[in-house]
Amino acid sequence: MTNSKAVITITVAACLISGAFPGPTQAGDATGAQPLALRKIMQELGSNMQATTGAISREDWAQVVQLAPKIAAHPAPPLTEKIRIFAYLGADAGRFRSFDAQTHEAALAMKQAAARSDGKAVIESFARVQESCMGCHQAFRKPFVEHFYGAR
């Protein structure tokens, strides 16, 4: 894949990721449900992914080195919220955690590649981050939003 095609692919995926969960005015309005802390975490991840896309397109490896740990070690929801989420997920909790672990590992690989100024490896690692995010979103986003915020 050429650099320009890779940057376009990254940009499109980042735009998809930035809509990870409905915004604060969308979910919770009809049911009165309060947004979970996970929503804010996902929004921060989306912002970090967009910033990473920009840094990659500028070949600003120092910024990628700074952003990658924010993706890899994103905050976790409060314990009570985690319990609610994992109780809802039931047998799928392991799959949910697996996507998070894949994101973590790929983001750390991206940081290492950026530290070496290895643009190709940065792009490959970022693509793996996107794949794990997208896999999780496709598997869990819609039912998660419906469960915690009411049917849409």
Side-chain angles (χ1 to χ4, degrees):
M1 182 181 313
T2 66
N3 270 349
S4 62
K5 285 184 182 177
V7 170
I8 291 169
T9 300
I10 289 168
T11 302
V12 169
C15 290
L16 291 171
I17 290 168
S18 69
F21 285 90
T25 59
Q26 293 173 328
D29 290 349
T31 63
Q34 292 299 313
L36 299 175
L38 183 60
R39 171 171 292 156
K40 185 173 190 276
I41 293 166
M42 288 290 115
Q43 289 169 341
E44 287 176 24
L45 276 168
S47 294
N48 288 328
M49 292 291 286
Q50 287 181 335
T52 301
T53 300
I56 290 170
S57 70
R58 293 185 308 277
E59 297 182 39
D60 184 347
W61 308 130
Q63 187 176 19
V64 174
V65 167
Q66 291 178 347
L67 290 164
K70 293 177 181 181
I71 296 166
H74 60 79
L79 181 59
T80 54
E81 186 171 305
K82 275 175 120 172
I83 292 169
R84 283 180 60 206
I85 291 168
F86 287 122
Y88 164 70
L89 291 171
D92 282 333
R95 186 170 173 220
F96 185 83
R97 287 181 184 209
S98 176
F99 282 122
D100 191 50
Q102 291 169 28
T103 300
H104 176 80
E105 291 171 19
L108 290 180
M110 180 174 63
K111 177 185 175 185
Q112 293 169 349
R116 297 188 311 271
S117 298
D118 184 346
K120 185 174 191 270
V122 168
I123 290 169
E124 289 169 354
S125 297
F126 189 65
R128 287 196 324 269
V129 171
Q130 292 173 312
E131 288 168 6
S132 61
C133 291
M134 186 58 64
C136 188
H137 296 170
Q138 289 177 341
F140 298 108
R141 182 183 349 184
K142 185 175 187 236
F144 188 92
V145 170
E146 287 173 355
H147 175 78
F148 287 103
Y149 299 108
R152 297 271 167 226

